[in-house]
Each structure stands twice: as C-alpha cells, then as structure tokens.
Amino acid sequence: MPIFNLQTLMSQATAIVGQRLDLTPSQVSFWANTAQLEVATRAPHMFMLSTSSFSLGVGSSATSLPGDFLSPVDMTNYGSGDSWGNRTLRLVDIRDIDNASEGTANARSNRYAIVPPDLRFYPPSSDTYAMMFRYYKTPADMTALTDTLSVGSV
C-alpha cells in the first residue's frame, strides 16, 4: 500500500471534484490535512503513540501538556521505590479534582485531569516523583508537496 504525499493527495482530490478552478491549492491542502487528522482521531495508530517523562515536584499540582498532544492513553507514577511500585493514575474530569474532599494536604498524586494547556494532579505531590504520560500525538501537517501522511501504512 503506497504512502501518499501532499502533491498526490491534492491532485487526486481535485480530479475527483472535476478540476474545479475555484478551489485554491491552500484549500485543497487544508482539507487533505483535515482528513488526516480525522483518521488519526477516529482510529489512533500505534505509531502515533508517544511518551512524555517528567518529574512532579513537591507541592506540584500541574504541568504542561506536550505540544503534539491529541488524546491520552495513561499516566504512570513509576520508580518510586516504595512498596506500591508503579502506579497508574486515574483520569478524571477537572470538576472531580475541584470538588475533591480529601482536603489540601500533599500526598502521592493518584488522579489527573486534562485542562489544556495543562495536566492537573490531585492531591498535590508530597515528594518528587518520576512520571510517564503516554498519549497519541497530533499528526504533523503536510506543508511541502513531498510531505507524506503521518497516518500512512506501517
């Protein structure tokens, strides 16, 4: 199965609609990139999987989302050295964190919410923990005519 580049996609798209002169190359390029994003959103591909590792410091309750973030897979607190070992945090709605009844004391974070442009954690971290966020990344826009689809065949 071929990997299409932007030029091929634009050529095929304009041929399908009858070589319409009212469609500019930038409009056709926009729709080709939009279609690629739709495919990535509806059927995430394993090669679009990415990870972000970071440290969550004492008292921390937020960090920035990766710039290419599309959708979450999971969040793990790993390498802690305690009897619990690695822990997967639970993804919750931000209202669950806002309404949390455990108070404001720091502890080991066990929940997170996605509030662009941030990841929010609850409860705030009581120590410095190594974290790993796995997510699907947004496919790169095709801008040059020779750029290929990010969601092509493997």
Side-chain angles (χ1 to χ4, degrees), residues 114-148:
I114 297 170
V115 186
D118 295 325
L119 289 165
R120 301 276 174 89
F121 299 91
Y122 189 84
S125 182
S126 60
D127 204 345
T128 298
Y129 296 109
M131 307 294 286
M132 182 177 69
F133 181 49
R134 290 191 313 159
Y135 64 97
Y136 288 109
K137 59 186 177 181
T138 303
D141 279 347
M142 297 177 289
T143 54
L145 292 177
T146 55
D147 287 350
T148 57

PDB file of all heavy atoms in Angstrom, residues 114-148:
ATOM      1  N   ILE A 114      -7.151  16.607  32.361  1.00  0.00           N
ATOM      2  CA  ILE A 114      -6.594  17.345  31.223  1.00  0.00           C
ATOM      3  C   ILE A 114      -7.362  18.647  31.097  1.00  0.00           C
ATOM      4  O   ILE A 114      -8.580  18.649  30.897  1.00  0.00           O
ATOM      5  CB  ILE A 114      -6.690  16.513  29.939  1.00  0.00           C
ATOM      6  CG1 ILE A 114      -5.844  15.258  30.098  1.00  0.00           C
ATOM      7  CG2 ILE A 114      -6.250  17.336  28.722  1.00  0.00           C
ATOM      8  CD1 ILE A 114      -6.026  14.232  29.009  1.00  0.00           C
ATOM      9  N   VAL A 115      -6.637  19.754  31.297  1.00  0.00           N
ATOM     10  CA  VAL A 115      -7.206  21.089  31.206  1.00  0.00           C
ATOM     11  C   VAL A 115      -6.245  21.882  30.321  1.00  0.00           C
ATOM     12  O   VAL A 115      -5.326  22.524  30.829  1.00  0.00           O
ATOM     13  CB  VAL A 115      -7.336  21.749  32.603  1.00  0.00           C
ATOM     14  CG1 VAL A 115      -8.071  23.071  32.499  1.00  0.00           C
ATOM     15  CG2 VAL A 115      -8.009  20.820  33.591  1.00  0.00           C
ATOM     16  N   PRO A 116      -6.424  21.802  28.998  1.00  0.00           N
ATOM     17  CA  PRO A 116      -5.446  22.447  28.099  1.00  0.00           C
ATOM     18  C   PRO A 116      -5.178  23.886  28.501  1.00  0.00           C
ATOM     19  O   PRO A 116      -6.125  24.593  28.840  1.00  0.00           O
ATOM     20  CB  PRO A 116      -6.129  22.374  26.735  1.00  0.00           C
ATOM     21  CG  PRO A 116      -7.044  21.191  26.848  1.00  0.00           C
ATOM     22  CD  PRO A 116      -7.528  21.193  28.281  1.00  0.00           C
ATOM     23  N   PRO A 117      -3.933  24.269  28.583  1.00  0.00           N
ATOM     24  CA  PRO A 117      -2.726  23.592  28.109  1.00  0.00           C
ATOM     25  C   PRO A 117      -2.011  22.766  29.181  1.00  0.00           C
ATOM     26  O   PRO A 117      -0.827  22.499  29.057  1.00  0.00           O
ATOM     27  CB  PRO A 117      -1.849  24.757  27.668  1.00  0.00           C
ATOM     28  CG  PRO A 117      -2.154  25.818  28.682  1.00  0.00           C
ATOM     29  CD  PRO A 117      -3.641  25.659  28.977  1.00  0.00           C
ATOM     30  N   ASP A 118      -2.732  22.356  30.240  1.00  0.00           N
ATOM     31  CA  ASP A 118      -2.080  21.691  31.360  1.00  0.00           C
ATOM     32  C   ASP A 118      -2.631  20.308  31.660  1.00  0.00           C
ATOM     33  O   ASP A 118      -3.754  19.963  31.281  1.00  0.00           O
ATOM     34  CB  ASP A 118      -2.240  22.523  32.644  1.00  0.00           C
ATOM     35  CG  ASP A 118      -1.539  23.854  32.589  1.00  0.00           C
ATOM     36  OD1 ASP A 118      -0.465  23.935  31.969  1.00  0.00           O
ATOM     37  OD2 ASP A 118      -2.072  24.832  33.158  1.00  0.00           O
ATOM     38  N   LEU A 119      -1.821  19.560  32.407  1.00  0.00           N
ATOM     39  CA  LEU A 119      -2.244  18.351  33.112  1.00  0.00           C
ATOM     40  C   LEU A 119      -2.317  18.759  34.574  1.00  0.00           C
ATOM     41  O   LEU A 119      -1.370  19.355  35.097  1.00  0.00           O
ATOM     42  CB  LEU A 119      -1.202  17.236  32.961  1.00  0.00           C
ATOM     43  CG  LEU A 119      -1.078  16.588  31.593  1.00  0.00           C
ATOM     44  CD1 LEU A 119       0.211  15.786  31.509  1.00  0.00           C
ATOM     45  CD2 LEU A 119      -2.282  15.695  31.341  1.00  0.00           C
ATOM     46  N   ARG A 120      -3.424  18.481  35.255  1.00  0.00           N
ATOM     47  CA  ARG A 120      -3.584  18.827  36.663  1.00  0.00           C
ATOM     48  C   ARG A 120      -3.604  17.541  37.485  1.00  0.00           C
ATOM     49  O   ARG A 120      -4.209  16.555  37.081  1.00  0.00           O
ATOM     50  CB  ARG A 120      -4.888  19.585  36.900  1.00  0.00           C
ATOM     51  CG  ARG A 120      -5.008  20.860  36.110  1.00  0.00           C
ATOM     52  CD  ARG A 120      -4.303  22.011  36.828  1.00  0.00           C
ATOM     53  NE  ARG A 120      -4.303  23.199  36.014  1.00  0.00           N
ATOM     54  CZ  ARG A 120      -5.269  24.115  36.017  1.00  0.00           C
ATOM     55  NH1 ARG A 120      -6.304  23.976  36.784  1.00  0.00           N
ATOM     56  NH2 ARG A 120      -5.161  25.176  35.241  1.00  0.00           N
ATOM     57  N   PHE A 121      -2.977  17.577  38.656  1.00  0.00           N
ATOM     58  CA  PHE A 121      -2.844  16.404  39.512  1.00  0.00           C
ATOM     59  C   PHE A 121      -3.500  16.633  40.854  1.00  0.00           C
ATOM     60  O   PHE A 121      -3.535  17.751  41.367  1.00  0.00           O
ATOM     61  CB  PHE A 121      -1.356  16.081  39.731  1.00  0.00           C
ATOM     62  CG  PHE A 121      -0.642  15.772  38.459  1.00  0.00           C
ATOM     63  CD1 PHE A 121      -0.009  16.771  37.743  1.00  0.00           C
ATOM     64  CD2 PHE A 121      -0.618  14.482  37.962  1.00  0.00           C
ATOM     65  CE1 PHE A 121       0.638  16.500  36.552  1.00  0.00           C
ATOM     66  CE2 PHE A 121       0.029  14.189  36.775  1.00  0.00           C
ATOM     67  CZ  PHE A 121       0.659  15.203  36.063  1.00  0.00           C
ATOM     68  N   TYR A 122      -4.018  15.537  41.449  1.00  0.00           N
ATOM     69  CA  TYR A 122      -4.587  15.606  42.789  1.00  0.00           C
ATOM     70  C   TYR A 122      -4.296  14.305  43.505  1.00  0.00           C
ATOM     71  O   TYR A 122      -4.401  13.246  42.899  1.00  0.00           O
ATOM     72  CB  TYR A 122      -6.093  15.849  42.757  1.00  0.00           C
ATOM     73  CG  TYR A 122      -6.608  16.122  44.149  1.00  0.00           C
ATOM     74  CD1 TYR A 122      -6.540  17.397  44.677  1.00  0.00           C
ATOM     75  CD2 TYR A 122      -7.097  15.086  44.933  1.00  0.00           C
ATOM     76  CE1 TYR A 122      -6.967  17.645  45.977  1.00  0.00           C
ATOM     77  CE2 TYR A 122      -7.514  15.328  46.221  1.00  0.00           C
ATOM     78  CZ  TYR A 122      -7.450  16.604  46.734  1.00  0.00           C
ATOM     79  OH  TYR A 122      -7.855  16.857  48.014  1.00  0.00           O
ATOM     80  N   PRO A 123      -3.981  14.370  44.781  1.00  0.00           N
ATOM     81  CA  PRO A 123      -3.629  15.582  45.518  1.00  0.00           C
ATOM     82  C   PRO A 123      -2.268  16.102  45.079  1.00  0.00           C
ATOM     83  O   PRO A 123      -1.521  15.382  44.414  1.00  0.00           O
ATOM     84  CB  PRO A 123      -3.603  15.105  46.974  1.00  0.00           C
ATOM     85  CG  PRO A 123      -3.357  13.642  46.901  1.00  0.00           C
ATOM     86  CD  PRO A 123      -3.927  13.171  45.600  1.00  0.00           C
ATOM     87  N   PRO A 124      -1.931  17.344  45.454  1.00  0.00           N
ATOM     88  CA  PRO A 124      -0.604  17.865  45.111  1.00  0.00           C
ATOM     89  C   PRO A 124       0.478  16.925  45.636  1.00  0.00           C
ATOM     90  O   PRO A 124       0.316  16.297  46.679  1.00  0.00           O
ATOM     91  CB  PRO A 124      -0.553  19.226  45.812  1.00  0.00           C
ATOM     92  CG  PRO A 124      -1.985  19.626  45.942  1.00  0.00           C
ATOM     93  CD  PRO A 124      -2.736  18.340  46.171  1.00  0.00           C
ATOM     94  N   SER A 125       1.561  16.829  44.915  1.00  0.00           N
ATOM     95  CA  SER A 125       2.625  15.871  45.217  1.00  0.00           C
ATOM     96  C   SER A 125       3.318  16.151  46.561  1.00  0.00           C
ATOM     97  O   SER A 125       3.663  17.284  46.865  1.00  0.00           O
ATOM     98  CB  SER A 125       3.651  15.915  44.088  1.00  0.00           C
ATOM     99  OG  SER A 125       4.667  14.982  44.310  1.00  0.00           O
ATOM    100  N   SER A 126       3.531  15.077  47.333  1.00  0.00           N
ATOM    101  CA  SER A 126       4.195  15.190  48.630  1.00  0.00           C
ATOM    102  C   SER A 126       5.704  14.996  48.520  1.00  0.00           C
ATOM    103  O   SER A 126       6.430  15.234  49.484  1.00  0.00           O
ATOM    104  CB  SER A 126       3.640  14.143  49.592  1.00  0.00           C
ATOM    105  OG  SER A 126       3.874  12.849  49.066  1.00  0.00           O
ATOM    106  N   ASP A 127       6.161  14.555  47.384  1.00  0.00           N
ATOM    107  CA  ASP A 127       7.572  14.263  47.165  1.00  0.00           C
ATOM    108  C   ASP A 127       7.832  14.487  45.679  1.00  0.00           C
ATOM    109  O   ASP A 127       6.928  14.799  44.921  1.00  0.00           O
ATOM    110  CB  ASP A 127       7.869  12.813  47.562  1.00  0.00           C
ATOM    111  CG  ASP A 127       9.329  12.580  47.929  1.00  0.00           C
ATOM    112  OD1 ASP A 127      10.165  13.460  47.603  1.00  0.00           O
ATOM    113  OD2 ASP A 127       9.631  11.541  48.536  1.00  0.00           O
ATOM    114  N   THR A 128       9.057  14.288  45.244  1.00  0.00           N
ATOM    115  CA  THR A 128       9.350  14.371  43.812  1.00  0.00           C
ATOM    116  C   THR A 128       9.191  12.980  43.218  1.00  0.00           C
ATOM    117  O   THR A 128       9.801  12.018  43.702  1.00  0.00           O
ATOM    118  CB  THR A 128      10.776  14.893  43.571  1.00  0.00           C
ATOM    119  OG1 THR A 128      10.863  16.210  44.110  1.00  0.00           O
ATOM    120  CG2 THR A 128      11.092  14.952  42.083  1.00  0.00           C
ATOM    121  N   TYR A 129       8.316  12.860  42.225  1.00  0.00           N
ATOM    122  CA  TYR A 129       8.028  11.580  41.597  1.00  0.00           C
ATOM    123  C   TYR A 129       8.319  11.642  40.101  1.00  0.00           C
ATOM    124  O   TYR A 129       8.062  12.654  39.448  1.00  0.00           O
ATOM    125  CB  TYR A 129       6.556  11.202  41.791  1.00  0.00           C
ATOM    126  CG  TYR A 129       6.177  10.972  43.222  1.00  0.00           C
ATOM    127  CD1 TYR A 129       5.367  11.872  43.895  1.00  0.00           C
ATOM    128  CD2 TYR A 129       6.622   9.846  43.896  1.00  0.00           C
ATOM    129  CE1 TYR A 129       5.004  11.665  45.212  1.00  0.00           C
ATOM    130  CE2 TYR A 129       6.270   9.622  45.218  1.00  0.00           C
ATOM    131  CZ  TYR A 129       5.460  10.529  45.873  1.00  0.00           C
ATOM    132  OH  TYR A 129       5.109  10.318  47.174  1.00  0.00           O
ATOM    133  N   ALA A 130       8.823  10.526  39.590  1.00  0.00           N
ATOM    134  CA  ALA A 130       9.019  10.387  38.144  1.00  0.00           C
ATOM    135  C   ALA A 130       7.687   9.968  37.532  1.00  0.00           C
ATOM    136  O   ALA A 130       7.041   9.037  38.009  1.00  0.00           O
ATOM    137  CB  ALA A 130      10.094   9.343  37.862  1.00  0.00           C
ATOM    138  N   MET A 131       7.286  10.664  36.499  1.00  0.00           N
ATOM    139  CA  MET A 131       6.005  10.405  35.850  1.00  0.00           C
ATOM    140  C   MET A 131       6.222  10.089  34.377  1.00  0.00           C
ATOM    141  O   MET A 131       7.175  10.574  33.755  1.00  0.00           O
ATOM    142  CB  MET A 131       5.098  11.640  35.950  1.00  0.00           C
ATOM    143  CG  MET A 131       4.917  12.188  37.348  1.00  0.00           C
ATOM    144  SD  MET A 131       4.047  11.084  38.442  1.00  0.00           S
ATOM    145  CE  MET A 131       2.401  11.256  37.834  1.00  0.00           C
ATOM    146  N   MET A 132       5.332   9.266  33.815  1.00  0.00           N
ATOM    147  CA  MET A 132       5.362   8.994  32.376  1.00  0.00           C
ATOM    148  C   MET A 132       3.929   9.111  31.854  1.00  0.00           C
ATOM    149  O   MET A 132       3.016   8.450  32.362  1.00  0.00           O
ATOM    150  CB  MET A 132       5.909   7.608  32.060  1.00  0.00           C
ATOM    151  CG  MET A 132       5.970   7.354  30.558  1.00  0.00           C
ATOM    152  SD  MET A 132       6.700   5.761  30.116  1.00  0.00           S
ATOM    153  CE  MET A 132       5.445   4.650  30.698  1.00  0.00           C
ATOM    154  N   PHE A 133       3.749   9.972  30.869  1.00  0.00           N
ATOM    155  CA  PHE A 133       2.448  10.212  30.241  1.00  0.00           C
ATOM    156  C   PHE A 133       2.502   9.631  28.839  1.00  0.00           C
ATOM    157  O   PHE A 133       3.317  10.041  28.022  1.00  0.00           O
ATOM    158  CB  PHE A 133       2.181  11.722  30.203  1.00  0.00           C
ATOM    159  CG  PHE A 133       0.863  12.110  29.604  1.00  0.00           C
ATOM    160  CD1 PHE A 133      -0.317  11.509  30.003  1.00  0.00           C
ATOM    161  CD2 PHE A 133       0.799  13.118  28.651  1.00  0.00           C
ATOM    162  CE1 PHE A 133      -1.537  11.884  29.460  1.00  0.00           C
ATOM    163  CE2 PHE A 133      -0.406  13.510  28.109  1.00  0.00           C
ATOM    164  CZ  PHE A 133      -1.581  12.889  28.515  1.00  0.00           C
ATOM    165  N   ARG A 134       1.653   8.631  28.569  1.00  0.00           N
ATOM    166  CA  ARG A 134       1.559   8.075  27.212  1.00  0.00           C
ATOM    167  C   ARG A 134       0.327   8.678  26.548  1.00  0.00           C
ATOM    168  O   ARG A 134      -0.735   8.778  27.166  1.00  0.00           O
ATOM    169  CB  ARG A 134       1.444   6.546  27.244  1.00  0.00           C
ATOM    170  CG  ARG A 134       2.722   5.882  27.675  1.00  0.00           C
ATOM    171  CD  ARG A 134       2.734   4.396  27.480  1.00  0.00           C
ATOM    172  NE  ARG A 134       1.518   3.769  27.980  1.00  0.00           N
ATOM    173  CZ  ARG A 134       1.091   2.573  27.593  1.00  0.00           C
ATOM    174  NH1 ARG A 134       1.768   1.872  26.718  1.00  0.00           N
ATOM    175  NH2 ARG A 134      -0.016   2.060  28.098  1.00  0.00           N
ATOM    176  N   TYR A 135       0.502   9.068  25.290  1.00  0.00           N
ATOM    177  CA  TYR A 135      -0.581   9.747  24.583  1.00  0.00           C
ATOM    178  C   TYR A 135      -0.439   9.540  23.079  1.00  0.00           C
ATOM    179  O   TYR A 135       0.615   9.141  22.591  1.00  0.00           O
ATOM    180  CB  TYR A 135      -0.571  11.247  24.909  1.00  0.00           C
ATOM    181  CG  TYR A 135       0.681  11.963  24.440  1.00  0.00           C
ATOM    182  CD1 TYR A 135       0.700  12.657  23.233  1.00  0.00           C
ATOM    183  CD2 TYR A 135       1.850  11.941  25.203  1.00  0.00           C
ATOM    184  CE1 TYR A 135       1.853  13.303  22.801  1.00  0.00           C
ATOM    185  CE2 TYR A 135       2.994  12.589  24.783  1.00  0.00           C
ATOM    186  CZ  TYR A 135       2.994  13.262  23.583  1.00  0.00           C
ATOM    187  OH  TYR A 135       4.133  13.902  23.149  1.00  0.00           O
ATOM    188  N   TYR A 136      -1.527   9.797  22.372  1.00  0.00           N
ATOM    189  CA  TYR A 136      -1.470   9.828  20.914  1.00  0.00           C
ATOM    190  C   TYR A 136      -1.138  11.248  20.503  1.00  0.00           C
ATOM    191  O   TYR A 136      -1.695  12.210  21.037  1.00  0.00           O
ATOM    192  CB  TYR A 136      -2.800   9.397  20.285  1.00  0.00           C
ATOM    193  CG  TYR A 136      -3.049   7.918  20.447  1.00  0.00           C
ATOM    194  CD1 TYR A 136      -4.025   7.446  21.311  1.00  0.00           C
ATOM    195  CD2 TYR A 136      -2.284   6.986  19.747  1.00  0.00           C
ATOM    196  CE1 TYR A 136      -4.251   6.088  21.465  1.00  0.00           C
ATOM    197  CE2 TYR A 136      -2.499   5.632  19.895  1.00  0.00           C
ATOM    198  CZ  TYR A 136      -3.480   5.186  20.759  1.00  0.00           C
ATOM    199  OH  TYR A 136      -3.691   3.851  20.916  1.00  0.00           O
ATOM    200  N   LYS A 137      -0.216  11.374  19.562  1.00  0.00           N
ATOM    201  CA  LYS A 137       0.191  12.706  19.130  1.00  0.00           C
ATOM    202  C   LYS A 137      -0.601  13.141  17.900  1.00  0.00           C
ATOM    203  O   LYS A 137      -1.089  12.319  17.119  1.00  0.00           O
ATOM    204  CB  LYS A 137       1.692  12.758  18.860  1.00  0.00           C
ATOM    205  CG  LYS A 137       2.187  11.802  17.817  1.00  0.00           C
ATOM    206  CD  LYS A 137       3.703  11.833  17.729  1.00  0.00           C
ATOM    207  CE  LYS A 137       4.184  10.800  16.729  1.00  0.00           C
ATOM    208  NZ  LYS A 137       5.619  10.770  16.624  1.00  0.00           N
ATOM    209  N   THR A 138      -0.723  14.441  17.741  1.00  0.00           N
ATOM    210  CA  THR A 138      -1.380  15.029  16.583  1.00  0.00           C
ATOM    211  C   THR A 138      -0.495  14.810  15.363  1.00  0.00           C
ATOM    212  O   THR A 138       0.714  15.050  15.429  1.00  0.00           O
ATOM    213  CB  THR A 138      -1.582  16.545  16.791  1.00  0.00           C
ATOM    214  OG1 THR A 138      -2.330  16.739  17.989  1.00  0.00           O
ATOM    215  CG2 THR A 138      -2.295  17.186  15.622  1.00  0.00           C
ATOM    216  N   PRO A 139      -1.062  14.338  14.257  1.00  0.00           N
ATOM    217  CA  PRO A 139      -0.222  14.160  13.065  1.00  0.00           C
ATOM    218  C   PRO A 139       0.306  15.509  12.579  1.00  0.00           C
ATOM    219  O   PRO A 139      -0.382  16.530  12.676  1.00  0.00           O
ATOM    220  CB  PRO A 139      -1.157  13.527  12.037  1.00  0.00           C
ATOM    221  CG  PRO A 139      -2.529  13.720  12.552  1.00  0.00           C
ATOM    222  CD  PRO A 139      -2.446  13.970  14.021  1.00  0.00           C
ATOM    223  N   ALA A 140       1.523  15.494  12.077  1.00  0.00           N
ATOM    224  CA  ALA A 140       2.134  16.721  11.563  1.00  0.00           C
ATOM    225  C   ALA A 140       1.418  17.159  10.289  1.00  0.00           C
ATOM    226  O   ALA A 140       1.066  16.330   9.444  1.00  0.00           O
ATOM    227  CB  ALA A 140       3.612  16.484  11.276  1.00  0.00           C
ATOM    228  N   ASP A 141       1.184  18.469  10.164  1.00  0.00           N
ATOM    229  CA  ASP A 141       0.597  18.994   8.938  1.00  0.00           C
ATOM    230  C   ASP A 141       1.556  18.787   7.775  1.00  0.00           C
ATOM    231  O   ASP A 141       2.769  18.914   7.923  1.00  0.00           O
ATOM    232  CB  ASP A 141       0.311  20.496   9.053  1.00  0.00           C
ATOM    233  CG  ASP A 141      -0.984  20.795   9.778  1.00  0.00           C
ATOM    234  OD1 ASP A 141      -1.784  19.868   9.977  1.00  0.00           O
ATOM    235  OD2 ASP A 141      -1.187  21.963  10.148  1.00  0.00           O
ATOM    236  N   MET A 142       0.981  18.453   6.644  1.00  0.00           N
ATOM    237  CA  MET A 142       1.774  18.364   5.420  1.00  0.00           C
ATOM    238  C   MET A 142       1.800  19.756   4.818  1.00  0.00           C
ATOM    239  O   MET A 142       0.751  20.335   4.549  1.00  0.00           O
ATOM    240  CB  MET A 142       1.130  17.368   4.450  1.00  0.00           C
ATOM    241  CG  MET A 142       1.080  15.944   4.978  1.00  0.00           C
ATOM    242  SD  MET A 142       0.242  14.813   3.844  1.00  0.00           S
ATOM    243  CE  MET A 142      -1.461  15.345   3.992  1.00  0.00           C
ATOM    244  N   THR A 143       2.976  20.320   4.625  1.00  0.00           N
ATOM    245  CA  THR A 143       3.080  21.665   4.063  1.00  0.00           C
ATOM    246  C   THR A 143       3.809  21.666   2.726  1.00  0.00           C
ATOM    247  O   THR A 143       3.438  22.396   1.821  1.00  0.00           O
ATOM    248  CB  THR A 143       3.787  22.619   5.041  1.00  0.00           C
ATOM    249  OG1 THR A 143       5.039  22.057   5.414  1.00  0.00           O
ATOM    250  CG2 THR A 143       2.939  22.841   6.285  1.00  0.00           C
ATOM    251  N   ALA A 144       4.848  20.853   2.591  1.00  0.00           N
ATOM    252  CA  ALA A 144       5.559  20.747   1.315  1.00  0.00           C
ATOM    253  C   ALA A 144       4.882  19.676   0.470  1.00  0.00           C
ATOM    254  O   ALA A 144       4.294  18.729   0.995  1.00  0.00           O
ATOM    255  CB  ALA A 144       7.030  20.378   1.550  1.00  0.00           C
ATOM    256  N   LEU A 145       4.944  19.829  -0.826  1.00  0.00           N
ATOM    257  CA  LEU A 145       4.293  18.874  -1.717  1.00  0.00           C
ATOM    258  C   LEU A 145       4.841  17.462  -1.577  1.00  0.00           C
ATOM    259  O   LEU A 145       4.156  16.488  -1.885  1.00  0.00           O
ATOM    260  CB  LEU A 145       4.412  19.342  -3.172  1.00  0.00           C
ATOM    261  CG  LEU A 145       3.620  20.608  -3.512  1.00  0.00           C
ATOM    262  CD1 LEU A 145       3.859  21.026  -4.958  1.00  0.00           C
ATOM    263  CD2 LEU A 145       2.136  20.411  -3.257  1.00  0.00           C
ATOM    264  N   THR A 146       6.066  17.319  -1.082  1.00  0.00           N
ATOM    265  CA  THR A 146       6.659  15.992  -0.929  1.00  0.00           C
ATOM    266  C   THR A 146       6.422  15.396   0.463  1.00  0.00           C
ATOM    267  O   THR A 146       6.835  14.257   0.710  1.00  0.00           O
ATOM    268  CB  THR A 146       8.178  16.057  -1.203  1.00  0.00           C
ATOM    269  OG1 THR A 146       8.755  17.037  -0.341  1.00  0.00           O
ATOM    270  CG2 THR A 146       8.449  16.419  -2.662  1.00  0.00           C
ATOM    271  N   ASP A 147       5.769  16.133   1.379  1.00  0.00           N
ATOM    272  CA  ASP A 147       5.462  15.600   2.709  1.00  0.00           C
ATOM    273  C   ASP A 147       4.508  14.427   2.576  1.00  0.00           C
ATOM    274  O   ASP A 147       3.569  14.446   1.768  1.00  0.00           O
ATOM    275  CB  ASP A 147       4.817  16.662   3.603  1.00  0.00           C
ATOM    276  CG  ASP A 147       5.804  17.724   4.066  1.00  0.00           C
ATOM    277  OD1 ASP A 147       7.016  17.532   3.853  1.00  0.00           O
ATOM    278  OD2 ASP A 147       5.349  18.726   4.630  1.00  0.00           O
ATOM    279  N   THR A 148       4.735  13.378   3.408  1.00  0.00           N
ATOM    280  CA  THR A 148       3.864  12.203   3.365  1.00  0.00           C
ATOM    281  C   THR A 148       2.952  12.182   4.583  1.00  0.00           C
ATOM    282  O   THR A 148       3.199  12.854   5.586  1.00  0.00           O
ATOM    283  CB  THR A 148       4.686  10.902   3.328  1.00  0.00           C
ATOM    284  OG1 THR A 148       5.546  10.871   4.468  1.00  0.00           O
ATOM    285  CG2 THR A 148       5.497  10.800   2.042  1.00  0.00           C
TER     286      THR A 148
END
